[in-house]
Amino acid sequence: MKVKICGITKIEDALYAVELGAWALGFIFYPKSPRYIEPKKVKEIIKELPKDIKTIGVFVNEKFDKMEEIAEITNISTFQLHGEENNETCQKLSKEVIKAFRFTNKKELEIIDNYVNDKEKNNILAFLIDAFNKDSYGGTGHRADWDLAQEVKKYGNLILAGGLNEKNISSAISIVKPWAVDLSSAVESDYGIKDHKKMKDFFEEINNDKNRN
């Protein structure tokens, strides 16, 4: 199972996540987030990472030119758009895109139709489903709607986020069967500061689940 650890702010946390087997690391470039990190710091962290690790810049309703500027500075591999960005923006960006949604009902799934109208030229790597919270764009620790998340798989790769931890990850994988999982607050001691024991426990549960199957 591919695992993305989001909200990285420290090199030691990034390296430990990679050591444990993380597929991707997420860096928050949304200034209002308590996990915000400056692009220059991300540049220094990425320099120390293996080349095959996905490095994902998370943006929320940011200006196109600003996103491209940050990508140039940091050398991230992937954009994650966590706001109301449209498909035109996704397709214009210079790197692959993870488009995040926070659905509250099945009717809203129709929004994804606007992002898969040209599969041959699609710049979207995956769709990420997170829990809806009117006060935050992510990292709340609230669980996403797994039934809605399953519906997203018919549109493309599904990354499941929202309230995942070592206690429910086996159920999430068994029920939703996502392409990848994403977590942040469940492995933190404070905003942007990862708890290495929690990270280790999570990856051990992932590996135990794989061995059981």
Side-chain angles (χ1 to χ4, degrees):
M1 175 56 59
K2 294 179 174 65
V3 177
K4 171 175 172 271
I5 303 294
C6 203
I8 293 288
T9 63
K10 299 170 63 180
I11 181 62
E12 52 265 43
D13 294 346
L15 292 174
Y16 191 59
V18 170
E19 180 183 332
L20 290 171
W23 157 74
L25 302 178
F27 304 95
I28 311 296
F29 297 123
Y30 180 48
K32 293 182 180 180
S33 170
R35 300 176 181 88
Y36 172 79
I37 183 171
E38 294 181 359
K40 288 182 180 179
K41 188 173 180 181
V42 173
K43 177 182 179 180
E44 295 307 311
I45 292 175
I46 289 178
K47 282 181 180 179
E48 302 300 320
L49 299 176
K51 301 300 183 185
D52 60 341
I53 296 297
K54 289 280 186 186
T55 51
I56 299 172
V58 181
F59 300 88
V60 179
N61 299 325
E62 184 59 87
K63 293 180 180 178
F64 181 87
D65 290 346
K66 184 67 173 179
M67 289 192 287
E68 289 288 2
E69 177 187 339
I70 290 175
E72 181 70 23
I73 292 170
T74 59
N75 199 32
I76 55 170
S77 65
T78 308
F79 292 97
Q80 180 175 315
L81 306 187
H82 224 288
E84 287 71 48
E85 302 87 0
N86 60 25
N87 186 49
E88 181 180 1
T89 297
C90 292
Q91 302 308 327
K92 283 173 59 181
L93 286 166
S94 60
K95 300 175 186 291
E96 63 188 8
V97 173
I98 295 170
K99 182 66 187 81
F101 296 99
R102 303 174 301 140
F103 293 131
T104 59
N105 61 71
K106 193 169 184 178
K107 181 69 174 176
E108 292 176 349
L109 288 167
E110 296 177 3
I111 295 171
I112 302 182
D113 286 330
N114 298 320
Y115 296 82
V116 293
N117 53 8
D118 189 350
K119 292 184 179 180
E120 290 186 4
K121 299 179 181 178
N122 206 323
N123 201 28
I124 296 176
L125 172 67
F127 296 107
L128 183 147
I129 300 303
D130 203 348
F132 177 81
N133 184 296
K134 65 182 180 63
D135 299 318
S136 176
Y137 279 94
T140 64
H142 298 161
R143 204 181 97 168
D145 186 319
W146 290 359
D147 290 334
L148 289 178
Q150 289 183 78
E151 295 290 325
V152 174
K153 291 190 293 183
K154 64 187 178 185
Y155 297 100
N157 293 329
L158 166 67
I159 300 177
L160 181 64
L164 298 176
N165 55 53
E166 77 279 2
K167 295 179 180 179
N168 64 19
I169 188 60
S170 292
S171 295
I173 293 172
S174 175
I175 294 169
V176 182
K177 296 180 174 61
W179 180 69
V181 294
D182 182 321
L183 67 159
S184 179
S185 60
V187 291
E188 287 182 333
S189 57
D190 200 353
Y191 291 121
I193 308 300
K194 302 310 177 190
D195 183 311
H196 288 202
K197 183 180 184 306
K198 290 180 180 179
M199 290 172 66
K200 185 172 183 289
D201 289 346
F202 181 84
F203 277 93
E204 284 182 349
E205 185 59 32
I206 286 276
N207 292 329
N208 289 339
D209 185 71
K210 181 170 61 177
N211 292 335
R212 284 193 292 268
N213 296 320

